Amino acid sequence: MKTIIRIFYLWPAIWLVMSCSQERSVGLKVLQLNVWVNASRVEGGEQGLVDVVDRTDADVVLLCELYTGEGETPLAQKVIDALAKRGKTYFGDGRNLPVGILSKYALDDVSAFLPAPDCYRPVVKAHLTVNGRTVAVYSTHLDHRNYASYLSRGYSSATWTKMEAPVTDPDSILVANRIAWRDETIRGFIRDARSETAGGNIVIMGGDFNEPSHLDWQADTKDIRDHRGAVVPWDVSLMLAQAGYRDAWRSLFPDAARHPGFTWPAGNEAARLKDLFVTPDADERDRIDFIYYYPQPGVALESIYIVGPAASVDHGKIVPEKTDEAFLQTLAVWPSDHKGNLATFRIAPQPVAAKPCTESKPTFAFLTDVHLNRANDRDRYRGFTQALERAKRAGVEFLVFGGDLVDINMGSQLSRKETDSMYTAFKQAAEQTGLPFFPAIGNHDRYFDEAEDCPDGDEVFKSHFGGRSYYTFERHGVRFFVLNSVQRTGASDLCIGEEQLAWLKRELVHVSLATPIIVVQHVPAYSLYYPVAEAKFSPADVVCNFRDELTLFREHNLKLVLQGHQHLYEELLLQDVHYITGGAVCGNWWNGSFHGTEEGVLLVHADSTGNFSWRYVDYGWLPE
């Protein structure tokens, strides 16, 4: 097939056709560009930057690498002043940070934030009003260290020096990638932008990510560009996709093999060649500069172009692009070692009326603290089957149990045979629903008997439930971790043991940072009821080493922790994680409600987009 490269030279006239308004909508052109150390690395770079902004006639400009020396006029202000002499008015964010925003629209509510305490790269945010709509724009520049896409190319991600052999295992690549602070920055952006989208505001974000997209490292590209067979689910792009954001370039050019959209390294003839690349013996071309937007009524992506030279650097040489895609190439001096993105959005004056919200169908039921016993006093078995019937009637796809399934209470007064019979009764009731079920172990589920070779308390539980007391599974793109929170560590027996923590750490390596995670455990990780409402605290209220546990999830997309033990219903929101203490199937040990919490089950909707909702329902059991 004949290869075509379309090159457009940027003059103001080119935009006369493109800027013609569609009925009731206004075009918004957004330019994103890394200016390469304050546009200082190329002779005439400052003038080149002014020309690029002028000739693209961008409405919003997202810039990074704005490094202003002490006593110097900020580069952004220089660009504004130069454009004013050409009859164009731009406003700046006025923050004088390494990232910045220029806009033809007045900038309101300008702010900057560090997404994490140890993250040194700020994000700048501003509001502008376009066609009566509030648009929140974000400019960012992610951490450049630990550039893990070099690994498959045979170069160190940390030192950028050549290695003895390439690293192509995706898990190893992601482990190296996560040392940087890129995922923390994007998680902070998603968290901040949530209030914008919830209020109906349009959100557009752009910057140099210093990380490729998972959309560019799939099966269709694994054997080209020195990927060497690696298919890598890059964290940042996956996190944004999971949060509902769209990669503007891939939205219009989904074929990564045909339309790579390389932005790094730019084949800039005005720069010193040796300054443009890192891997002279490899093809390091990638798309690491992006514009993202949140799709909603009243905003539509009209077009996007790569801005910059129609050439890149491959194996240490400037080579023309041989792809069927469009480049907007300026006749002026190109100021950067990156190429940029120029996206045009159509902004309607008001969103199309949304359909009324309907309650999401629950995906699974969380049932905790059943406490079946050998005597079946107060007709516990009937109450349990009634709770199961209520969950099944709600249309759930599977069941998750939060521990204290039975009332062994460490087996002090029970034989192994009696213990087995209680577990059998529990399993028969659960199996009769015809639904898959996933149990966690609780403190009342443990059976200790040295004579029966049960020194750890979970041996009988494991013999009935697949030989494991902690495990992981996935449903609907959500990763579940069912933990054993009743192990002994030091003086406490309500802990997550060292061996289990090591297992959890190993398992999390294989989980994308974008994948929503739900943790299920019997003893709560967090709870405030007793310390706050009752003004008392006991070490038995929470798992002893919850800090060690939760630290392992810090960089991951932990959404929910479902917990039991206290027979209370409690909701806590801490650092974007919901901790739900899910009441109790047995209420007050089958004697009615407990501290206002009725006998009940938690119905949970969960999906891979991070859309979670839940409600606790009283399933109707009454004590005789």
Side-chain angles (χ1 to χ4, degrees):
M1 182 180 71
K2 185 177 180 181
T3 298
I4 303 173
I5 299 179
R6 291 170 287 164
I7 300 177
F8 298 85
Y9 293 94
L10 296 181
W11 297 104
I14 190 173
W15 298 110
L16 293 177
V17 176
M18 296 185 66
S19 62
C20 291
S21 297
Q22 299 175 2
E23 185 178 2
R24 302 187 67 234
S25 69
V26 169
L28 181 72
K29 287 180 289 183
V30 180
L31 172 67
Q32 171 275 324
L33 183 62
N34 179 322
V35 300
W36 201 13
V37 193
N38 221 42
S40 66
R41 300 299 297 275
V42 176
E43 186 176 352
E46 286 187 14
Q47 184 63 43
L49 176 59
V50 173
D51 289 341
V52 170
V53 176
D54 183 17
R55 293 173 181 178
T56 58
D57 199 30
D59 300 300
V60 176
V61 186
L62 307 177
L63 301 174
C64 65
E65 291 203 18
L66 298 171
Y67 303 130
T68 303
E70 185 176 353
E72 295 181 0
T73 301
L75 177 61
Q77 188 59 52
K78 291 180 181 179
V79 173
I80 291 172
D81 295 343
L83 291 170
K85 294 178 180 179
R86 302 185 184 187
K88 294 186 175 182
T89 300
Y90 280 83
F91 302 91
D93 61 71
R95 304 291 295 195
N96 194 21
L97 292 171
V99 291
I101 302 171
L102 307 182
S103 172
K104 289 184 177 180
Y105 295 87
L107 296 174
D108 299 319
D109 302 321
V110 177
S111 61
F113 60 90
L114 288 174
D118 296 325
C119 181
Y120 70 102
R121 290 281 174 88
V123 177
V124 173
K125 166 189 174 181
H127 290 112
L128 48 139
T129 303
V130 181
N131 207 8
R133 300 288 302 279
T134 297
V135 181
V137 291
Y138 294 77
S139 183
T140 187
H141 184 196
L142 306 190
D143 192 353
H144 69 284
R145 297 168 297 182
N146 299 100
Y147 188 75
S149 64
Y150 281 160
L151 290 172
S152 76
R153 283 134 176 175
Y155 286 78
S156 167
S157 60
T159 65
W160 302 355
T161 56
K162 194 170 184 179
M163 303 183 300
E164 292 184 1
V167 175
T168 58
D169 172 60
D171 290 336
S172 299
I173 292 173
L174 289 177
V175 167
N177 189 60
R178 291 168 186 170
I179 299 172
W181 288 89
R182 291 183 282 272
D183 53 289
E184 288 87 353
T185 300
I186 292 304
R187 188 175 289 111
F189 157 72
I190 292 171
R191 182 168 57 246
D192 186 87
R194 193 171 293 144
S195 61
E196 302 290 348
T197 56
N201 294 342
I202 295 167
V203 173
I204 299 172
M205 182 268 286
D208 172 6
F209 281 17
N210 280 307
E211 181 177 311
S213 168
H214 72 288
L215 299 175
D216 299 349
W217 282 64
Q218 297 190 12
D220 56 349
T221 60
K222 68 182 181 66
D223 297 319
I224 58 177
R225 302 165 194 157
D226 284 342
H227 293 190
R228 292 189 170 91
V231 176
V232 183
W234 294 103
D235 293 317
V236 164
S237 58
L238 262 178
M239 291 167 67
L240 287 165
Q242 294 280 11
Y245 288 86
R246 290 183 182 172
D247 175 340
W249 178 262
R250 281 285 163 256
S251 294
L252 297 185
F253 300 102
D255 189 335
R258 185 179 177 186
H259 299 291
F262 298 133
T263 63
W264 162 264
N268 189 348
E269 297 283 0
R272 293 192 307 176
L273 178 60
K274 67 178 183 179
D275 292 339
L276 294 175
F277 62 89
V278 176
T279 66
D281 297 326
D283 182 355
E284 61 184 297
R285 294 176 298 170
D286 251 318
R287 189 170 63 100
I288 62 173
D289 302 82
F290 301 88
I291 292 176
Y292 275 85
Y293 70 103
Y294 193 83
Q296 55 184 294
V299 58
L301 176 64
E302 181 177 79
S303 64
I304 185 167
Y305 294 90
I306 300 298
V307 183
S312 295
V313 180
D314 179 8
H315 286 80
K317 297 179 180 179
I318 294 179
V319 295
E321 298 292 1
K322 297 180 180 179
T323 56
D324 185 16
E325 58 193 21
F327 291 87
L328 296 182
Q329 183 173 344
T330 174
L331 290 177
V333 172
W334 185 247
S336 181
D337 54 345
H338 289 245
K339 303 177 193 181
N341 291 273
L342 182 69
T344 301
F345 298 91
R346 303 301 307 183
I347 308 298
Q350 59 187 8
V352 179
K355 295 181 180 179
C357 293
T358 57
E359 184 178 345
S360 300
K361 177 182 176 181
T363 312
F364 66 93
F366 177 64
L367 305 94
T368 188
D369 293 86
V370 180
H371 288 277
L372 295 185
N373 67 1
R374 59 178 175 171
N376 194 34
D377 56 301
R378 309 192 70 78
D379 206 4
R380 302 174 183 222
Y381 188 86
R382 180 183 63 83
F384 180 39
T385 56
Q386 189 173 340
L388 293 171
E389 289 168 1
R390 177 65 181 88
K392 188 172 182 179
R393 190 165 66 249
V396 300
E397 300 175 29
F398 58 95
L399 308 170
V400 177
F401 293 101
D404 281 2
L405 317 176
V406 294
D407 229 342
I408 300 168
N409 197 22
M410 303 178 72
S412 57
Q413 298 177 357
L414 295 173
S415 67
R416 171 66 186 264
K417 183 177 180 180
E418 289 172 313
T419 299
D420 283 327
S421 68
M422 290 166 59
Y423 273 127
T424 299
F426 177 90
K427 287 170 59 181
Q428 286 177 344
E431 289 168 351
Q432 285 175 2
T433 66
L435 299 172
F437 63 93
F438 304 90
I441 188 172
N443 54 299
H444 283 262
D445 298 319
R446 298 174 299 176
Y447 179 81
F448 292 92
D449 190 333
E450 293 287 349
E452 292 283 354
D453 195 24
C454 298
D456 298 323
D458 65 352
E459 290 83 0
V460 180
F461 178 94
K462 292 193 291 187
S463 71
H464 284 273
F465 299 112
R468 54 192 184 175
S469 64
Y470 51 87
Y471 55 95
T472 181
F473 68 94
E474 189 163 327
R475 288 290 188 280
H476 293 290
V478 178
R479 174 67 64 172
F480 289 76
F481 284 91
V482 181
L483 303 182
N484 180 345
S485 58
V486 292
Q487 295 179 318
R488 180 170 293 280
T489 297
S492 175
D493 64 348
L494 301 181
C495 305
I496 295 175
E498 292 299 324
E499 183 178 331
Q500 184 180 179
L501 288 174
W503 165 85
L504 180 57
K505 185 176 182 179
R506 292 194 303 271
E507 287 293 323
L508 284 170
V509 168
H510 304 287
V511 180
S512 165
L513 297 187
T515 300
I517 292 175
I518 294 177
V519 168
V520 179
Q521 62 190 61
H522 179 66
V523 182
Y526 282 136
S527 176
L528 293 180
Y529 179 79
Y530 285 111
V532 175
E534 299 289 325
K536 61 182 180 181
F537 175 80
S538 166
D541 292 332
V542 294
V543 70
C544 80
N545 52 351
F546 64 90
R547 290 186 182 88
D548 295 334
E549 171 197 356
L550 297 175
T551 295
L552 295 178
F553 290 99
R554 186 183 67 180
E555 295 184 358
H556 285 77
N557 191 19
L558 178 59
K559 305 296 290 189
L560 290 176
V561 177
L562 299 177
Q563 48 199 26
H565 191 53
Q566 296 192 3
H567 296 219
L568 300 164
Y569 183 74
E570 179 183 49
E571 294 185 8
L572 298 175
L573 176 61
L574 298 172
Q575 297 176 325
D576 285 335
V577 180
H578 288 274
Y579 297 82
I580 312 297
T581 307
V585 172
C586 74
N588 188 10
W589 285 266
W590 301 103
N591 283 290
S593 64
F594 183 71
H595 289 261
T597 298
E598 299 289 345
E599 302 87 356
V601 301
L602 190 72
L603 303 177
V604 183
H605 167 83
D607 60 44
S608 61
T609 66
N611 181 16
F612 293 87
S613 59
W614 54 85
R615 59 192 176 99
Y616 186 71
V617 297
D618 177 354
Y619 62 86
W621 185 86
L622 294 173
E624 294 179 356

